C-alpha cells in the first residue's frame, strides 16, 4: 500500500519495490534473443548430426564392400580362379545401396536415403619385379555417391590384392 507524506506542502507518493514496464520489456526481449539463438544452435547441431550419420552410413557400406572383396578366397589369378564369387572380375559393377532409413512413423512412412555404389576392379599392369614376372596384383575402388538436401556426397575406398598362393 502506498503511503502519503503529509509533512510538506508537496504530496508525494513513495514507491514500493517492483519493476517498471520498461524493465520487464527489456528482460523479455533479452530472454527471447537467448531462446531464439539457442533454438538456432540446436537446429544447426541437428543438421550436422544428420549429415555425419549419413556419411558414416556411406563409409560403412564402402568398408563392407571392401571387406567382402578382401575375404573372397581362394584368390588365385594364376589358375584363372579369381575368388569363388567372381567379384574380382575386371570391370565396373553398379548397384543401389541404402545408406540410412528412419524407423517408420505411425502412418508407416519412413525416410530412406539411398545411393549408388560403383565397384571398379582392374589388374595392375605395371606390377613386375623382373621382365616377364607378373605379380598378379588387382585393385578395387569402391565409391558410394548420394544426394541429400540438394548436395552431392561421395565416399571412396581403394584396396589392392595379390594372389593367396
Amino acid at each position: 500500500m502506498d503511503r502519503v507524506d503529509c509533512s510538506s506542502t508537496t504530496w508525494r507518493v513513495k514507491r514500493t519495490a517492483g519493476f517498471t514496464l520498461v524493465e520487464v520489456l527489456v528482460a523479455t526481449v533479452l530472454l527471447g534473443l537467448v531462446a531464439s539463438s539457442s533454438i538456432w544452435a540446436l537446429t544447426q547441431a541437428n543438421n550436422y548430426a544428420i549429415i555425419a550419420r549419413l556419411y558414416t552410413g556411406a563409409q560403412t557400406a564402402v568398408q563392407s564392400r571392401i571387406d567382402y572383396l578382401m575375404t573372397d578366397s581362394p584368390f588365385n589369378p594364376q589358375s584363372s580362379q579369381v575368388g569363388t564369387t567372381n567379384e574380382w572380375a575386371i570391370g565396373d559393377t553398379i548397384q543401389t545401396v541404402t545408406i540410412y532409413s528412419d524407423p517408420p512413423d505411425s502412418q508407416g512412412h519412413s525416410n530412406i536415403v539411398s545411393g549408388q555404389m560403383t565397384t571398379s576392379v582392374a589388374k595392375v599392369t605395371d606390377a613386375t619385379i623382373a621382365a616377364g614376372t607378373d605379380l598378379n596384383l588387382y585393385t578395387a575402388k569402391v565409391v558410394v555417391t548420394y544426394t541429400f538436401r540438394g548436395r552431392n556426397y561421395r565416399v571412396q575406398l581403394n584396396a589392392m590384392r595379390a594372389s593367396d598362393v
Side-chain angles (χ1 to χ4, degrees):
M1 186 163 151
D2 295 337
R3 298 198 175 156
V4 178
D5 183 10
C6 297
S7 62
S8 69
T9 57
T10 310
W11 292 70
R12 285 190 221 157
V13 177
K14 289 189 177 179
R15 230 177 107 188
T16 57
F19 295 106
T20 65
L21 180 61
V22 172
E23 292 171 334
V24 170
L25 288 176
V26 168
T28 304
V29 168
L30 289 176
L31 287 175
L33 286 173
V34 169
S36 64
S37 65
S38 297
I39 290 172
W40 179 82
L42 290 173
T43 303
Q44 288 299 103
N46 191 30
N47 287 336
Y48 291 137
I50 290 169
I51 291 169
R53 179 178 57 216
L54 292 176
Y55 192 80
T56 301
Q59 278 183 321
T60 302
V62 169
Q63 185 64 53
S64 295
R65 182 71 175 157
I66 290 288
D67 290 345
Y68 177 72
L69 289 170
M70 296 304 284
T71 58
D72 188 23
S73 64
F75 187 73
N76 187 3
Q78 296 93 325
S79 68
S80 74
Q81 183 180 5
V82 185
T84 56
T85 59
N86 202 25
E87 294 293 331
W88 283 93
I90 295 175
D92 294 343
T93 306
I94 299 172
Q95 62 191 43
T96 301
V97 293
T98 300
I99 295 173
Y100 182 79
S101 69
D102 282 331
D105 60 8
S106 59
Q107 285 107 17
H109 299 110
S110 104
N111 294 327
I112 297 174
V113 178
S114 59
Q116 190 172 34
M117 179 186 292
T118 305
T119 304
S120 302
V121 176
K123 185 172 182 354
V124 180
T125 57
D126 57 350
T128 58
I129 51 175
T133 307
D134 188 5
L135 294 178
N136 290 312
L137 289 176
Y138 285 75
T139 62
K141 177 174 74 170
V142 180
V143 180
V144 169
T145 56
Y146 62 97
T147 302
F148 181 69
R149 292 184 179 163
R151 230 175 133 193
N152 296 325
Y153 296 90
R154 173 187 169 105
V155 178
Q156 175 180 332
L157 286 177
N158 299 327
M160 185 176 286
R161 188 156 183 196
S163 176
D164 290 341
V165 263

